[in-house]
Structure formats: C-alpha cells, structure tokens
Amino acid sequence: EKLIWQLRGTICNQKDCPFCARRLNAEIRLKEIFDFDSFRVYEGEPLQEEAVKSAIAGESLLAVFPTGGGKSLTFQLPALIAGESVRGLPVVISPLQSLMKDQVDHLEERGIPDAVTINGLLDPLERKEAIDRVANGRASILYISPEALRSATVENLLASRNVVRFVIDEAHCFSSWGQDFRVDYLYIGDFIRKLQERKCSGQTIPVSCFTATAKQQVIRDIQTYFRQKLNLELKLFTTKASRRNLQYIVLFMQNDEEKYNEIRNLLQARNCPTIIYVSRVRKTRQLADRLARDGFAAEPYNGRMDSREKIRIQNAFLTDEVQVIVATSAFGMGVDKPNVGLVIHHDISDSLESYTQEAGRAGRDESLQAECYVLFNEEDLDKHFVLLNQTRLSMNEIQQVWHAIKEQTGRQGRVSCSLLEISRQAGWDDTVTEMETRITTAIAALENAGYIERGRNVPHIYANSIQVPNMTAAVKRLEKCERMTESQKTTAKRILSYLISRKNTCRGSSETAESRVDYLADRLGLSRKEVVDSILLMREEGLLADEQDL
Ligand code: ADP
Ligand code: MG
C-alpha cells in the first residue's frame, strides 16, 4: 500500500510526468468528474482549490466553508482521485443518514456509481450488498455514520481495504460549543488509531474535517481533538466569508395570531420557496395545516416524523412541489436548494450558531436577494429555557446510570449490555428514542470523566426477515415441528405474532429497535436468553431467515 501510494498517489514533481500532470491534476479532474470549469472562491480566496490540493498531497486539514459553499465536492474530488489511482477507500463520516443517501444519489446522477453507504436505514439485504461492494473493492468511497464504527463487521471491513483518508463532514459535531454536539463523534479518533495499529504499516491515515461553523471554540476543539488523539495537525482553510445577498429583519410581535398574519403577508408578497422555523414538533403540523387551509402549499417537517415521510417532504420541497416547509431545526442540514428566498423564524433559534445555519439556507444562489425574518416576542426566550431544561441531564441521573452500570458489571469490571438494560436498571422509563440519547450521553460523560470505557458494540441480533406469510401459516409450521417443546412453541408464537404485527403496522425508524432481541424481551416479558434461544430454533426451522449479519 505504501509503495503504491508513493508511485501513484503522490505528485512526483518531475516536469514531464504525464501521470501526475493529468491524473492527479485538480483542475483537469474537476472538469472530468464533475464538469465544473473552476473552483469556488470565497471572499476572493481560492480555498476550495487549496483544500482539494492539500488533500491530494496527503495532508490533514480542516476546512471551514459557508453552508452551500461546496464542501462535499472538496472531499469527493480528492477521494475519487485516490480511489482510482491507488484503489484506496476514502471513508466519509456523516451524522445524518438522509444526508449520506443524498450524497450517494447525487454522485450516481453524475455517473459515479461507486459510492456506498452503510447505515441504519438499510435493510439486512441492502446492508449485505453494501458490505460486499466495499469488501470486493468496487466501492470507491464509503459513507458511514459514526455509530457504525462501533461495529466489528465495519472494523474488519475497513481493515481489509486500503483506507486512504477519513473525511469528517459536519465536524462541528465534535464540539459541545457547536449547535449539534454528537457523542458518537468522540469515538472516531479511537477508531482511527485502532485501525492504524491493526494495519501495522506505521503510516498515519490523513483526516479531513469540514464544517460551516466558524466559531473559534469549535475550531479549537476540533484541532485539539485530533492533536491529542492522533497527533495530527490539521491545516486550516477558512475565510470570514460573509453572505451579501441575505437581509436580516427582526419584527416584534405581540402574539401568535399577529405572527400568523405576518407570515401570510410575507408568503404572499414573496411567493417563493420558504422555510419557516418553529421550536416545537407539534407546532410544525399545526402551522402547516393552517397555512394549507389558507391556500399555501405547506408541509410540516420534524425529527419525530417517519423517515420515509421526511424524505418525501424534503424531495417535494426540492422539486418545488411544496413551496413552504414548516420545520423544527431538524430540517435543513445538507438541504441543497439554491432558490430559497425567505426564511422565517416563528420562534427564535436556540443559539446564534443555529440561527446563522438556519437563516443561511436562504439565498444559496448568490444572484438571489433573500430575506430572513425573526418574529420575536419576549416570551419566546422562556420557551427555550424550558426546552433546554428538558434535555438536560442532571448529576443525579448520571449517577443512576453509573450505578446501573456498576450493578451490571459486578466483579468482572466488564460487561456487554444494551442501552435498554441500563435504562431499566437505572429505573428510567423514557420512550425509546429519548432514552437512547440520554443514556448514551450519560455514558459519554462518565467516559469523559475517566470512570468507564465504552468499547465496540456487540452485534444486535435482529429477529426480522420472517419467512412465513402470516400468523396462520406460522402456527401450522410450528405445530408440525417436533423438536420444540410446547412451551418453546408458545414463546415462538408470541415472538412471531409480535414481529408480524410490527411488520404490518410500522415502517418507522423505531422498527429496527423494536425487533432487536433486548427490546423484544422487554416487550414480551421474556428473558433475553429465552428470546435468543427461540430465534435460533426458528431459524433452524426456517421460520426466520438465516442471513449474514442478522
Ligand atoms: P455544503 O458546503 O453546504 O456542504 P454542498 O457541498 O452541498 O455545500 O454544495 C453546494 C452546491 O455547490 C452543490 O450543488 C455543488 O454541486 C455546488 N458546487 C460545489 N463546488 C462547485 C464548483 N467548483 N463549481 C460549481 N458548483 C459547485
Ligand atoms: Mg454539506
């Protein structure tokens, strides 16, 4: 790998080397691969080109480009070049599954079919296919979520390829000063270090980080993180680029009714693609419905919605079928729509950072004059404090998690258990989505303070891929089965009937969680071992498919 990289991956600086002059030439490849004539310039500085060239030269870097500035291309171009010249695999870590899918689709539209994503939205067969494509070398760029790095399958997979670079998109997620801190990001450095050690090549894998957040603390956090974890100095590419085509306007409003009338007036006056931000999930639907009744093509968008619904609405907005989106801050990361002319904040954002991100989704097309309104009422501030307090973890709660983990580890000092088990042990009774985030966060706090170390994920056993059409058929098969005792049959029936009814009623994101063994056990009041035994039996009997990676 090292030799091939020296031969084909690095620019040799000999004047008449046709390979380097063509194949490793940023401008030529920009035209060939993306059909663009020139790199983007921010505030007169050719930062996109500089960052691309820095990556081609094998450096580690941190690029701060404005939203819509073209960060994806900046890492895709060198990634694709490396993929081709040394058959290397660049790995892109991105926080949102829908974002990854978008980027893979975009590349496909450009005739680049070799981008692959491995994330939780894939069903087991798609996942297997994605893994195969990486393993057999066809994939030239891999998008994965930070959570996926905890999987042994993914680690083995990456160890089998020549990983030429880690790209971290939305790198502000490293920093608690950013608007979007992700606990999972903190594992990335450990993962890269382990992978390097495993390869024993003595080579460090370069890293590129991308964000639109220019906040000093965030930049410092990212740089410090990589310096401490991997001894890497990230070369900084940043500008003070200001958006000149956005106008910011704050209107003081007495109450929601006044806000509504103002929104209607603005929508009528501008009549252009519009995003309205509200702070609460419920409000997205209320406001969208009311606008729809008043004749505007409006749809809601929030993080609690079914992922297919989210994708549908996002696409309808991108194709101008829907002109107005009423959304929480969940909407917009990676939404690449040039002609948004109006962003209205019905409620203020939770931070200035979030505000610039959200308002910045207007006027990506620089020739467009866009307006950003904040409809402001003193009371809105209180709403935020209430919301902030809801998501806050108290010291007491962190202690409960600590005790629960100690309870589980006993004397061994080492345990593998699910978030759900910890949560039940701690005496929590939250909904699945909230509980998972809160427990993960508490664990990260404990890890940060040096109390525990969180290792790799132990694969979940999924009890999906049912091989019988319905419950009647299942019962028939079970009755005939001689190997199972009556009580095993009863357990099997309960599990199957639960899975089948889930399959029919739910296609949401909780689907995978609910078919996980620990959740099944919890829901059906069985022990984990009973569920696992039953599932293994059903696999042997052909009632459940025996797929790899289930
Ligand atoms: P962000 O920086 O917010 O991630 P994207 O990577 O989504 O932005 O890019 C926004 C748009 O800019 C994309 O449609 C992309 O094709 C376009 N773009 C990026 N670089 C160039 C370029 N050099 N010339 C023309 N368009 C570009
Ligand atoms: Mg982006």
Side-chain angles (χ1 to χ4, degrees):
E1 285 175 3
K2 204 167 171 179
L3 207 57
I4 289 178
W5 177 257
Q6 280 168 1
L7 284 169
R8 294 176 54 98
T10 53
I11 297 178
C12 63
N13 285 330
Q14 281 171 18
K15 259 211 197 103
D16 45 2
C17 170
F19 182 85
C20 295
R22 235 189 67 76
R23 304 288 283 276
L24 302 182
N25 181 302
E27 289 89 352
I28 295 179
R29 303 315 303 272
L30 175 71
K31 181 75 186 161
E32 272 178 12
I33 301 177
F34 290 95
D35 199 25
F36 290 139
D37 294 317
S38 60
F39 285 104
R40 285 254 171 94
V41 171
Y42 314 114
E43 292 282 277
E45 295 169 75
L47 291 178
Q48 191 179 44
E49 178 175 355
E50 287 175 15
V52 166
K53 288 187 170 163
S54 162
I56 294 177
E59 296 172 333
S60 290
L61 61 114
L62 164 57
V64 185
F65 297 167
T67 305
K71 290 185 280 293
S72 315
L73 179 138
T74 312
F75 61 74
Q76 285 162 352
L77 181 59
L80 292 166
I81 293 176
E84 183 199 85
S85 58
V86 303
R87 283 272 135 214
L89 180 75
V91 177
V92 182
I93 298 170
S94 167
L96 287 184
Q97 301 179 334
S98 54
L99 262 184
M100 296 191 249
K101 187 182 174 311
D102 262 18
Q103 297 213 0
V104 170
D105 289 351
H106 269 137
L107 286 170
E108 230 160 63
E109 279 162 27
R110 294 201 176 276
I112 303 157
D114 301 333
V116 171
T117 159
I118 297 179
N119 67 56
L121 288 181
L122 304 181
D123 66 37
L125 281 180
E126 289 172 325
R127 185 177 156 88
K128 181 176 180 305
E129 201 215 296
I131 289 173
D132 285 349
R133 280 172 67 191
V134 177
N136 67 23
R138 269 187 48 212
S140 60
I141 180 166
L142 171 67
Y143 283 85
I144 53 177
S145 58
E147 298 86 357
L149 299 181
R150 300 252 185 203
S151 138
T153 315
V154 168
E155 194 187 308
N156 292 334
L157 188 64
L158 294 189
S160 75
R161 288 286 310 259
N162 177 12
V163 176
V164 283
R165 174 175 297 270
F166 278 93
V167 174
I168 294 133
D169 203 5
E170 316 289 352
H172 51 266
C173 296
F174 273 115
S175 170
S176 48
W177 293 102
Q179 73 276 24
D180 216 358
F181 174 60
R182 289 297 189 94
V183 177
D184 292 304
Y185 265 57
L186 299 181
Y187 185 63
I188 296 176
D190 296 320
F191 179 88
I192 297 178
R193 203 186 52 237
K194 271 194 264 172
L195 189 69
Q196 276 169 185
E197 283 166 8
R198 201 170 148 175
K199 290 227 160 187
C200 301
S201 63
Q203 263 181 313
T204 48
I205 304 172
V207 170
S208 311
C209 294
F210 289 85
T211 177
T213 308
K215 214 174 185 175
Q216 280 308 313
Q217 285 126 325
V218 173
I219 293 177
R220 218 176 300 136
D221 275 2
I222 299 171
Q223 287 181 311
T224 312
Y225 179 86
F226 283 99
R227 194 175 299 131
Q228 287 176 348
K229 288 270 179 192
L230 296 168
N231 208 9
L232 282 180
E233 280 304 323
L234 303 186
K235 193 165 169 185
L236 188 60
F237 294 88
T238 182
T239 165
K240 291 203 175 66
S242 49
R243 306 279 301 272
R244 298 184 188 287
N245 61 332
L246 300 185
Q247 205 187 347
Y248 299 104
I249 303 137
V250 180
L251 299 176
F252 287 89
M253 297 278 128
Q254 295 299 334
N255 51 43
D256 272 16
E257 206 44 39
E258 203 180 349
K259 286 188 182 181
Y260 184 75
N261 290 330
E262 189 60 46
I263 289 174
R264 268 182 47 168
N265 293 341
L266 289 171
L267 291 180
Q268 259 155 9
R270 293 281 317 209
N271 190 23
C272 63
T274 300
I275 307 173
I276 303 174
Y277 281 105
V278 298
S279 56
R280 285 172 194 262
V281 168
R282 195 165 7 112
K283 187 79 186 174
T284 57
R285 203 164 287 280
Q286 280 173 357
L287 188 56
D289 285 350
R290 187 164 176 196
L291 286 170
R293 277 201 302 277
D294 286 347
F296 298 96
E299 289 268 16
Y301 187 103
N302 61 63
R304 298 263 176 83
M305 277 165 32
D306 182 288
S307 53
R308 281 159 237 254
E309 181 76 352
K310 282 196 262 192
I311 292 169
R312 181 188 69 77
I313 290 177
Q314 193 168 309
N315 286 341
F317 185 59
L318 290 176
T319 55
D320 289 327
E321 258 168 73
V322 167
Q323 198 175 34
V324 181
I325 293 280
V326 184
T328 58
S329 54
F331 180 76
M333 206 199 263
V335 171
D336 179 20
K337 186 171 170 65
N339 60 342
V340 176
L342 186 60
V343 170
I344 305 173
H345 276 78
H346 180 279
D347 306 310
I348 55 165
S349 303
D350 56 8
S351 69
L352 201 51
E353 282 301 297
S354 310
Y355 179 72
T356 43
Q357 285 274 327
E358 288 159 12
R361 305 217 160 93
R364 284 195 175 199
D365 173 353
E366 281 169 34
S367 64
L368 186 86
Q369 273 303 317
E371 287 168 355
C372 310
Y373 285 88
V374 177
L375 308 182
F376 180 70
N377 178 312
E378 289 288 342
E379 282 168 23
D380 294 347
L381 285 172
D382 298 338
K383 270 192 221 164
H384 272 294
F385 283 117
V386 173
L387 282 180
L388 277 176
N389 273 329
Q390 275 173 7
T391 52
R392 197 172 136 251
L393 272 177
S394 69
M395 185 61 105
N396 195 14
E397 287 169 315
I398 296 177
Q399 263 159 6
Q400 286 167 353
V401 171
W402 168 235
H403 285 301
I405 292 173
K406 276 211 335 198
E407 226 25 70
Q408 297 265 353
T409 47
R411 286 168 177 279
Q412 308 147 16
R414 189 176 252 283
V415 69
S416 117
C417 55
S418 71
L419 296 173
L420 184 75
E421 285 171 298
I422 299 176
S423 133
R424 293 295 183 252
Q425 184 86 47
W428 293 17
D429 203 13
D430 302 29
T431 62
V432 168
T433 38
E434 244 155 61
M435 176 279 289
E436 295 208 329
T437 336
R438 285 157 62 81
I439 300 272
T440 326
T441 310
I443 290 177
L446 289 167
E447 190 174 9
N448 232 352
Y451 283 87
I452 54 174
E453 194 181 278
R454 183 177 158 191
R456 243 178 12 203
N457 278 351
V458 175
H460 304 295
I461 299 180
Y462 288 88
N464 41 18
S465 67
I466 305 162
Q467 299 293 82
V468 280
N470 52 44
M471 208 46 217
T472 326
V475 171
K476 241 190 201 156
R477 290 270 293 273
L478 278 170
E479 292 306 336
K480 271 194 283 184
C481 169
E482 283 166 9
R483 272 202 300 181
M484 289 193 193
T485 65
E486 280 312 307
S487 86
Q488 282 173 331
K489 284 181 189 170
T490 314
T491 310
K493 275 183 217 162
R494 289 184 62 204
I495 293 175
L496 273 179
S497 104
Y498 180 74
L499 289 175
I500 289 174
S501 72
R502 293 286 308 174
K503 202 178 172 122
N504 291 338
T505 55
C506 159
R507 302 193 62 94
S509 54
S510 60
E511 183 181 21
T512 45
E514 296 285 319
S515 56
R516 243 149 60 188
V517 163
D518 41 340
Y519 287 82
L520 262 172
D522 190 58
R523 290 296 296 261
L524 299 176
L526 299 164
S527 77
R528 219 150 65 118
K529 184 161 183 323
E530 285 174 303
V531 177
V532 172
D533 289 347
S534 183
I535 284 170
L536 292 178
L537 270 174
M538 285 194 275
R539 279 197 199 166
E540 283 169 24
E541 291 299 322
L543 286 155
L544 294 174
D546 194 7
E547 310 271 7
Q548 177 197 359
D549 220 59
L550 281 179

